[in-house]
């Protein structure tokens, strides 16, 4: 199957936008007016010239068939990926009105395509050489692992003492100390090469004075942090799966060494979270043949979108390999056997009660788990005082939505899609409630992104 025969929907294109402003600006460029010399190839490349404010049009080219998701190149000065011109070009291509015909690529587009292919091959060769070099001196690798383990142990021991001091002095002292104490402690965990501990310490610093009941929330998080510390300090006594989970939560690097699992993976959702240091992209996949859900993670420097991007609602014939850890869903994307194609299947759903039970079961394998991926079958969004909940259409049960959902436009898209009728919703179910990410109407209809 050639990429030329695969057309995305406007929602699938706009789901790639790095932010709301890019989504709005890209939508305005999704018509033929500002474009000239637009074209596409059977290999999965789209290009065109977009008229801007200057005398020269912007040269825009997109590689749709890249295994890691679409790749973009534009001569505009924007630092967003994809920029509004790339989004507009993809929307124009998705329109199926002949505005982007199949034709020979111009020299400027062909040069970028060829250069990208060469860089991809060079990276594969470098990765293979790096793996060979690492395996050539296993003794040196073992010593590096031991030195890092010693530093993490020292950091975990120090953190245990700081938690004991906090509880001995009373939780009220956390409100008086301010955020500086937590940031200094987090920096110590970074020095100990335990970024997972550092991240959880920073989260602790945001709890004091965060609203009614903050001492209870702080005590709960301190208990989980203490449990993680003890898990590391006694890791030799843990089962292999739980030990791998502790190492992952501490922040030690892992390798996706699980056996490759091939399926026609449905891209359920993609969304980004960002802090001052890093942008993290989460992509949820579902394999209908294996009945497995997998999470792909990719990262970008602050202010820049990660490279991996898979359009929501498409399916890709590919292999994924799981990371170690009890109950872990994270995987690495392996070989892709065909370009992404429109998906005709939907994931099976459960009731709200079954979703809550699924999260409870997952906590036995990973006590630090914030949420699990769940698809809810036949639920209706209904208001609940100042909040919202998803109520079962056929049972007297409901799940509250997480507080952050109320400020997102995706909530109103969900309400409009439902119109009081049942819908199928995929999202993350955890101790804060349910976060909807994708929805499908009853009967036929495409997936609607909510994130």
């Amino acid at each position: 199957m050639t990429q030329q025969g695969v057309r995305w929907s406007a929602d699938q294109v706009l789901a790639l936008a790095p932010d709301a402003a890019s989504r709005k600006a890209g939508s305005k460029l999704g018509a033929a007016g500002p474009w000239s010399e637009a074209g596409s190839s059977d290999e999965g490349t789209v290009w065109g010239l977009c008229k801007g404010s200057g005398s020269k049009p912007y040269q825009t080219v997109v590689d749709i068939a890249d295994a890691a998701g679409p790749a973009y190149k534009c001569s505009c000065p924007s630092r967003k990926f994809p920029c509004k011109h790339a989004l507009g070009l993809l929307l124009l291509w998705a329109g199926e009105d002949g505005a982007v015909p199949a034709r020979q690529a111009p020299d400027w587009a062909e040069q970028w395509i060829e250069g990208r292919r060469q860089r991809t091959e060079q990276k594969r060769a470098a990765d293979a050489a790096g793996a060979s070099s690492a395996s050539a001196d296993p003794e040196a690798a073992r010593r590096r692992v031991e030195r890092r383990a010693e530093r993490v142990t020292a950091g975990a021991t120090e953190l245990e003492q700081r938690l004991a001091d906090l509880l001995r002095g009373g939780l009220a002292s956390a409100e008086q100390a301010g955020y500086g104490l937590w940031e200094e402690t987090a920096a110590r965990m970074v020095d100990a090469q335990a970024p997972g501990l550092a991240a959880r310490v920073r989260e602790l610093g945001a709890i004091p004075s965060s609203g009614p009941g903050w001492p209870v929330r702080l005590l709960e998080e301190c208990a989980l942090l203490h449990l993680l510390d003890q898990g590391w300090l006694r890791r030799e006594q843990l089962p292999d799966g739980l030990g791998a989970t502790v190492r992952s939560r501490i922040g030690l690097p892992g390798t996706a060494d699980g056996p490759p699992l091939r399926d026609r993976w449905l891209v359920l959702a993609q969304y980004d979270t960002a802090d001052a240091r890093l942008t993290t992209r989460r992509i949820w996949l579902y394999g209908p043949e294996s009945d497995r859900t997998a999470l792909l993670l990719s990262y970008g420097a602050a202010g820049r979108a990660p490279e991996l991007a898979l359009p929501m609602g498409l399916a890709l014939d590919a292999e994924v390999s799981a990371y170690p850890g009890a109950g872990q869903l994270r995987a690495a994307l392996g070989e892709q056997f065909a370009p992404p194609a429109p998906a005709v299947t939907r994931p099976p759903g459960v009731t709200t009660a079954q979703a809550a039970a699924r999260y409870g079961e997952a906590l036995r394998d990973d006590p630090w788990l914030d949420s699990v991926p769940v698809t809810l079958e036949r639920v209706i969004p209904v208001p609940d005082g100042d909040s919202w909940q998803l109520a079962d259409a056929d049972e007297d049960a409901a799940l509250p939505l997480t507080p952050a959902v109320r400020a997102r436009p995706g909530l109103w898209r969900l309400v409009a899609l439902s119109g009081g009728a049942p819908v199928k919703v995929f999202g993350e179910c955890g101790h804060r409630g349910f976060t909807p990410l994708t929805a499908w109407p009853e009967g036929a209809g495409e997936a609607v992104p909510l994130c």
Side-chain angles (χ1 to χ4, degrees):
M1 179 174 57
T2 63
Q3 187 68 27
Q4 177 64 24
V6 178
R7 298 284 175 170
W8 302 349
S9 68
D11 277 339
Q12 288 166 342
V13 171
L14 293 175
L16 300 173
D19 51 41
S22 298
R23 191 176 298 115
K24 181 177 180 180
S27 298
K28 293 180 180 179
L29 295 175
W35 293 95
S36 61
E37 301 183 25
S40 61
S41 73
D42 286 345
E43 288 73 32
T45 309
V46 184
W47 61 84
L49 300 176
C50 186
K51 180 177 176 56
S53 56
S55 58
K56 295 180 63 176
Y58 296 122
Q59 298 175 341
T60 308
V61 57
V62 182
D63 182 2
I64 306 166
D66 188 272
Y72 319 94
K73 173 66 175 178
C74 186
S75 60
C76 76
S78 174
R79 299 184 63 184
K80 296 180 179 180
F81 295 94
C83 67
K84 63 180 181 181
H85 306 101
L87 290 170
L89 178 61
L90 286 176
L91 287 171
L92 187 68
W93 165 77
E96 297 191 55
D97 57 1
V100 187
R103 61 171 64 171
Q104 179 67 38
D107 290 343
W108 57 268
E110 190 62 44
Q111 290 174 4
W112 179 78
I113 296 167
E114 185 60 31
R116 180 169 178 78
R117 289 170 182 161
Q118 292 178 1
R119 289 191 296 272
T120 299
E121 291 301 321
Q122 291 170 357
K123 184 177 186 301
R124 287 175 180 169
D127 289 345
S132 176
S133 175
S135 60
D137 191 353
E139 181 60 25
R142 184 188 64 80
R143 288 196 298 269
R144 287 194 296 270
V145 170
E146 288 182 350
R147 287 195 297 269
R148 181 165 188 178
E150 291 172 358
R151 286 192 284 267
V152 173
T153 298
T157 303
E158 179 181 345
L159 182 56
E160 281 291 275
Q161 184 60 53
R162 297 199 176 199
L163 290 175
D165 291 343
L166 170 66
L167 296 178
R168 189 178 298 110
L171 295 181
S173 63
E175 188 174 26
Q176 299 167 0
Y179 190 76
L181 172 65
W182 302 104
E183 184 59 37
E184 190 268 338
T185 304
R188 295 285 296 165
M189 297 305 103
V190 172
D191 293 340
Q193 294 187 291
L197 290 180
R200 298 191 78 92
V201 168
R202 289 193 178 98
E203 292 174 0
L204 284 181
I207 296 177
S209 304
S210 60
W214 71 260
V216 174
R217 295 193 297 275
L218 181 60
L219 185 59
E220 291 172 346
E221 293 302 320
C222 284
L224 286 172
L225 190 52
H226 166 69
L227 183 64
L228 184 55
D229 275 342
Q230 290 298 314
W232 172 261
L233 296 174
R234 304 182 186 186
R235 59 193 180 279
E236 290 82 3
Q237 304 173 28
L238 300 178
D240 290 343
L242 184 55
T245 298
V246 168
R247 289 192 293 272
S248 174
R249 293 296 182 184
I250 287 287
L252 299 186
T255 304
D257 54 4
L261 177 62
R262 183 175 178 179
D263 209 324
R264 287 191 56 81
W265 296 97
L266 172 63
V267 183
L268 292 175
Q270 172 182 294
Y271 69 96
D272 295 349
T273 56
D275 56 28
R277 300 169 179 81
L278 199 66
T279 298
T280 302
R281 173 163 293 165
R282 290 170 171 83
I283 301 176
W284 284 109
L285 305 177
Y286 173 73
E289 296 180 13
S290 60
D291 193 28
R292 292 280 299 275
T293 303
L295 173 65
L296 306 181
L297 292 179
S298 60
Y299 303 93
R304 297 183 65 87
E307 288 189 6
L308 182 63
L310 298 175
M312 187 276 299
L314 295 186
L316 59 154
D317 183 2
E319 292 178 340
V320 302
S321 297
Y323 280 81
Q328 297 297 297
L329 297 176
R330 186 185 175 189
L333 183 62
E335 184 177 356
Q336 186 173 332
F337 301 96
V344 295
T345 59
R346 299 179 178 185
V350 299
T351 66
T352 58
Q354 290 170 329
R358 183 173 296 181
Y359 176 57
E361 292 168 359
L363 287 176
R364 292 184 302 191
D365 292 328
D366 184 355
W368 308 277
L369 191 63
D370 285 331
S371 60
V372 294
V374 173
T375 300
L376 298 177
E377 190 75 59
R378 289 181 52 79
V379 291
I380 303 172
V382 295
D384 179 27
D386 294 333
S387 186
W388 285 77
Q389 60 183 1
L390 292 177
D392 278 304
D394 305 313
E395 297 185 12
D396 186 19
L399 274 178
L401 298 185
T402 52
V405 171
R406 286 180 290 174
R408 299 175 183 171
L411 171 61
W412 307 113
R413 297 191 77 181
L414 175 60
V415 173
L417 179 69
S418 167
V423 291
K424 173 175 284 192
V425 183
F426 169 77
E428 297 171 349
C429 179
H431 61 95
R432 296 183 182 91
F434 186 86
T435 300
L437 301 175
T438 306
W440 297 262
E442 284 268 89
E446 296 181 344
V448 176
L450 306 174
C451 51

